[in-house]
């Protein structure tokens, strides 16, 4: 038990965060350079796309065209192909683990995991003369959504790529330059696009374009975003229920995706710039400081914890954790699940903890096994249920066997 809890970091008054090392020796360690690559991971620990970041200057020894490589989570190569079609503006995953490749001519090409072409659809059939500036891809395990931004600053959205029906969203007032940031937000009954300009934040749905007012000050939640206070990073949780906004003053606003509820405003100064921001499940926001070699998780309600990463990494938000993908390792950072905490926490007096200890003593043929079973008493059914649930949260097979036994 002491080994299990050695990687636990106290969080809040009663909880812990932990680092789980999924793969400690990645197969791709001698193949890729994380610091000069873009890493796009499929949800639920799925495969990973790696493509060179064309905004960074590196010496290229191969063809000038982009090379799209697909790897398993352990860094094993699945497929790799040279992009020989139009100008690529973004890549992403569908909910069926297909690769979506968006071009600036409005075409979206779909490939399978092995780089085999599947089919193509267009986001702007009625505007063949217009080019795209950017694209976003999101999914919620049921459907895959694609949104594109044209050079005329119109936004087209496809709510489900299997139905190939495109909607054009209402115009954004006074938007005549590329927005600072924009992301797809999946609300309960509709798809919204959140757009941050130098002066304002807009939430755009099929029906309306609504200006949003975010107060980065504790005392006033109705301040507009000023040019010196504009948003420079947006992160949305994997379940699309929570959002984090980082402004130019390095203040983090954490709230609901409909922007109606605020959970926390984090104002403590950072000594260096934030390179990446991603949700850690629904518990908090993970921040990566490359210069400090640190990942800090700021809780949605309170507290913060830090982990050291000396090599370049990519943060990937998951439904119950944040994946930390590096050239040499693949880790999970997560809030220790309740059932795991109540069994392995030091001095725990839960029935499931006593049941695990009784099992251990029984294996050693120790008479104390009977004493622990008596402590469980009438709660045996609950203890068994909690051990089974805790086993579902563990990745180490020996711990799973201990709990199931």
């Amino acid at each position: 038990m002491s080994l299990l809890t050695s990687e636990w970091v106290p969080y809040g008054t009663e909880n812990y965060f932990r680092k789980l090392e999924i793969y400690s020796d990645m197969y791709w360690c001698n193949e890729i350079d994380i610091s000069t690559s873009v890493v796009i991971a499929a949800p639920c620990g799925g495969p990973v796309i790696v493509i060179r970041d064309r905004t960074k200057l590196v010496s290229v020894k191969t063809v000038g065209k982009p090379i799209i490589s697909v790897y398993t989570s352990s860094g094993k190569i699945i497929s790799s192909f040279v992009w020989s079609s139009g100008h690529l503006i973004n890549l992403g995953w569908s909910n069926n683990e297909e690769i979506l490749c968006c071009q600036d001519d409005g075409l979206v090409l779909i490939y399978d995991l092995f780089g085999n072409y599947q089919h193509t659809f267009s986001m702007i059939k009625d505007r063949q003369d217009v080019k795209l500036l950017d694209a976003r891809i999101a999914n919620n395990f049921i459907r895959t959504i694609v949104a594109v931004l044209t050079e005329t600053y119109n936004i087209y959205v496809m709510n489900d790529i299997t139905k190939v029906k495109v909607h054009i969203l209402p115009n954004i007032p006074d938007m005549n330059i590329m927005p600072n940031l924009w992301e797809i937000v999946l609300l309960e009954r509709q798809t919204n696009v959140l757009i941050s300009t130098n002066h304002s934040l807009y939430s755009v749905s099929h029906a309306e374009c609504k200006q949003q007012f975010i107060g980065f000050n504790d005392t006033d939640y109705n301040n507009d975003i000023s040019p010196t206070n504009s948003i420079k990073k947006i992160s949305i949780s994997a379940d699309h229920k929570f959002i984090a906004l980082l402004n130019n003053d390095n203040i983090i606003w954490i709230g609901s995706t409909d922007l109606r509820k605020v959970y926390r405003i984090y104002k403590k100064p950072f000594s260096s710039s934030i390179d990446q921001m991603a949700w850690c499940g629904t518990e908090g926001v993970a921040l990566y400081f490359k210069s400090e070699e640190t990942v800090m998780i700021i809780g949605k309600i309170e507290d913060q914890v830090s982990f050291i990463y000396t090599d370049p990494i990519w943060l990937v938000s998951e439904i119950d954790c944040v994946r930390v993908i590096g050239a040499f390792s693949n880790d999970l950072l997560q809030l220790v699940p309740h059932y795991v905490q109540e069994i392995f926490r030091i001095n725990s007096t839960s029935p499931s903890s006593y049941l695990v200890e009784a099992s251990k003593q029984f294996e050693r043929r120790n008479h104390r096994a009977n004493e622990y079973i008596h402590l469980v008493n009438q709660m045996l059914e609950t203890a068994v249920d909690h051990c089974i649930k805790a086993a579902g949260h563990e990745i180490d097979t020996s711990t799973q066997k201990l709990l199931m036994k």
Side-chain angles (χ1 to χ4, degrees):
M1 289 190 190
S2 59
L3 289 174
L4 277 168
T5 58
S6 62
E7 290 285 343
W8 291 16
V9 180
Y11 167 73
T13 53
E14 297 181 350
N15 291 310
Y16 299 87
F17 264 91
R18 67 178 176 179
K19 176 167 77 171
L20 295 175
E21 198 172 63
I22 310 300
Y23 299 107
S24 58
D25 189 14
M26 299 287 278
Y27 288 94
W28 67 21
C29 61
N30 296 318
E31 296 177 26
I32 68 164
D33 183 355
I34 290 286
S35 63
T36 59
S37 302
V38 176
V39 176
I40 305 163
C44 301
V48 179
I49 297 170
V50 178
I51 187 170
R52 185 171 69 84
D53 188 346
R54 299 176 77 83
T55 63
K56 295 178 180 177
L57 296 173
V58 292
S59 58
V60 180
K61 299 176 183 178
T62 57
V63 293
K65 294 179 179 178
I67 298 175
I68 299 171
S69 301
V70 184
Y71 295 87
T72 65
S73 286
S74 60
K76 269 189 178 179
I77 188 75
I78 298 174
S79 64
S80 184
F81 57 98
V82 177
W83 183 255
S84 55
S85 189
H87 178 61
L88 198 60
I89 57 172
N90 208 350
L91 288 161
W93 291 97
S94 75
N95 58 325
N96 295 321
E97 289 191 350
E98 296 169 316
I99 303 166
L100 274 60
C101 306
C102 299
Q103 297 183 165
D104 67 348
D105 59 2
L107 295 180
V108 179
L109 287 71
I110 299 180
Y111 292 80
D112 66 12
L113 278 174
F114 306 100
N116 300 316
Y117 170 78
Q118 302 298 299
H119 62 93
T120 300
F121 62 84
S122 176
M123 291 294 296
I124 48 171
K125 282 183 181 178
D126 58 329
R127 298 292 303 275
Q128 298 293 334
D129 56 322
V130 174
K131 294 290 184 182
L132 301 186
L133 296 175
D134 204 359
R136 293 288 181 271
I137 299 163
N139 69 68
N140 61 352
F141 310 111
I142 299 170
R143 58 193 173 97
T144 304
I145 301 92
V146 178
V148 297
L149 176 66
T150 70
E151 61 186 2
T152 55
Y153 305 107
N154 297 118
I155 295 175
Y156 291 77
V157 173
M158 186 178 289
N159 277 318
D160 189 341
I161 62 169
T162 61
K163 296 180 180 175
V164 197
K165 187 176 180 182
V166 180
H167 302 274
I168 183 168
L169 300 187
N171 291 331
I172 296 96
D174 303 323
M175 193 169 85
N176 49 20
I177 59 170
M178 184 78 173
N180 296 347
L181 294 164
W182 68 292
E183 293 292 342
I184 296 172
V185 179
L186 305 180
L187 298 180
E188 195 170 333
R189 296 183 180 179
Q190 65 183 18
T191 300
N192 280 16
V193 173
L194 203 62
I195 299 173
S196 171
T197 66
N198 282 336
H199 301 278
S200 303
L201 182 70
Y202 294 97
S203 177
V204 190
S205 65
H206 299 309
E208 63 176 349
C209 173
K210 185 178 180 182
Q211 187 174 4
Q212 299 288 348
F213 298 92
I214 301 294
F216 285 93
N217 191 316
D218 295 303
T219 58
D220 183 7
Y221 293 108
N222 295 311
N223 286 341
D224 193 7
I225 301 167
S226 65
T228 57
N229 201 27
S230 60
I231 294 168
K232 61 180 182 180
K233 285 189 187 299
I234 295 175
S235 179
I236 298 167
S237 62
D239 63 358
H240 284 261
K241 291 184 178 178
F242 306 102
I243 190 169
L245 307 172
L246 172 71
N247 73 355
N248 281 335
D249 294 332
N250 280 337
I251 299 173
I252 298 174
W253 186 95
I254 299 174
S256 57
T257 44
D258 60 9
L259 305 177
R260 293 178 181 175
K261 187 172 184 180
V262 58
Y263 294 100
R264 187 179 188 184
I265 296 173
Y266 190 87
K267 288 185 166 186
K268 291 182 182 177
F270 302 112
S271 56
S272 59
S273 62
I274 298 168
D275 295 280
Q276 294 177 45
M277 186 166 79
W279 273 85
C280 179
T282 58
E283 186 57 40
V285 184
L287 311 174
Y288 175 46
F289 302 88
K290 187 176 180 180
S291 61
E292 296 182 14
E293 301 179 339
T294 302
V295 173
M296 178 190 287
I297 299 176
I298 296 174
K300 185 176 68 181
I301 306 297
E302 60 174 357
D303 212 351
Q304 68 273 337
V305 295
S306 295
F307 298 87
I308 302 298
Y309 281 92
T310 55
D311 297 306
I313 56 168
W314 273 84
L315 300 178
V316 179
S317 180
E318 294 282 9
I319 201 76
D320 61 347
C321 64
V322 61
R323 283 165 80 183
V324 183
I325 299 175
F328 304 100
S329 65
N330 188 345
D331 299 341
L332 298 184
L333 302 179
Q334 70 170 181
L335 185 74
V336 178
H338 168 72
Y339 297 113
V340 176
Q341 273 197 55
E342 73 171 16
I343 293 173
F344 296 115
R345 191 177 60 235
I346 295 170
N347 296 329
S348 173
T349 57
S350 69
S352 50
S353 180
Y354 287 142
L355 182 60
V356 169
E357 195 57 38
S359 175
K360 282 182 173 181
Q361 298 299 336
F362 183 77
E363 288 289 313
R364 296 169 187 159
R365 298 180 177 275
N366 191 316
H367 67 88
R368 294 189 67 191
N370 192 51
E371 296 175 18
Y372 281 110
I373 282 293
H374 276 296
L375 288 172
V376 177
N377 203 7
Q378 303 299 318
M379 300 290 288
L380 185 60
E381 187 176 338
T382 301
V384 170
D385 179 58
H386 288 192
C387 282
I388 293 170
K389 287 176 177 174
H393 290 292
E394 291 299 316
I395 60 166
D396 180 64
T397 52
S398 60
T399 309
Q400 290 174 357
K401 288 175 183 177
L402 169 71
L403 292 166
M404 295 304 290
K405 188 176 285 186

